[in-house]
Amino acid sequence: MVQATPFLLVLSLALLAPGLSARKCDLTGLWVNDLGSNMTIATVNGKGNFAGSYHTAVTASSNKIQVSPLQGSQKLSSQKSYPTFGFTVNWSFSDSVTVFTGQCFMDEKGEEVLKTTWLLRSHADNINDDWKS
């Protein structure tokens, strides 16, 4: 029985190690996308709400790009490591708003990655021009 004890200890540590190293995604902090746009998300509160700022690197507007405010919400669940979320950016330099929805994942290197889908709505001068927005 003495020789079985070290083996069980090693087996137990091997089985527990992946769970110890598994991290939950945390939306708080600075995020940079492939095009160089960046956003900062402040602390997610107990209800899942957060605020921050978005600085886009690309625009169709001829206006000077400015940092823009964002407001969002994360689905809270103690059972899920990869939270879903959504946020709205109210662009400071144009008459448009963008909504993002997505999920946070951990990649194979243990890095947090946000996968999102977005929809931009531009201002229309009248209902007949709605199709352009």
Side-chain angles (χ1 to χ4, degrees):
M1 184 67 177
V2 174
Q3 271 121 7
T5 304
F7 175 75
L8 291 175
L9 179 60
V10 171
L11 179 60
S12 296
L13 289 174
L15 292 173
L16 289 174
L20 293 174
S21 65
R23 294 184 348 187
K24 290 187 176 185
C25 283
D26 183 3
L27 296 180
T28 303
L30 173 67
W31 297 89
V32 180
N33 72 11
D34 297 343
L35 299 174
S37 298
N38 66 76
M39 73 173 174
T40 302
I41 295 178
T43 304
V44 179
N45 72 19
K47 293 182 179 181
N49 299 319
F50 58 87
S53 60
Y54 199 104
H55 190 211
T56 186
V58 296
T59 183
S61 169
S62 60
N63 299 335
K64 182 178 184 230
I65 294 174
Q66 299 174 14
V67 175
S68 301
L70 69 81
Q71 295 282 328
S73 183
Q74 172 186 325
K75 180 68 179 171
L76 296 178
S77 174
S78 59
Q79 304 298 319
K80 307 279 191 234
S81 295
Y82 304 129
T84 56
F85 60 89
F87 62 90
T88 302
V89 178
N90 184 1
W91 300 110
S92 299
F93 59 93
S94 70
D95 287 334
S96 60
V97 173
T98 302
V99 293
F100 293 79
T101 185
Q103 188 169 357
C104 185
F105 293 99
M106 301 296 285
D107 69 10
E108 60 279 347
K109 296 183 243 171
E111 299 285 327
E112 296 167 311
V113 177
L114 302 182
K115 291 294 189 175
T116 63
T117 301
W118 56 271
L119 177 65
L120 175 101
R121 175 64 191 216
S122 299
H123 174 78
D125 290 328
N126 60 59
I127 197 167
N128 294 326
D129 289 338
D130 181 62
W131 66 272
K132 293 192 245 179
S133 294

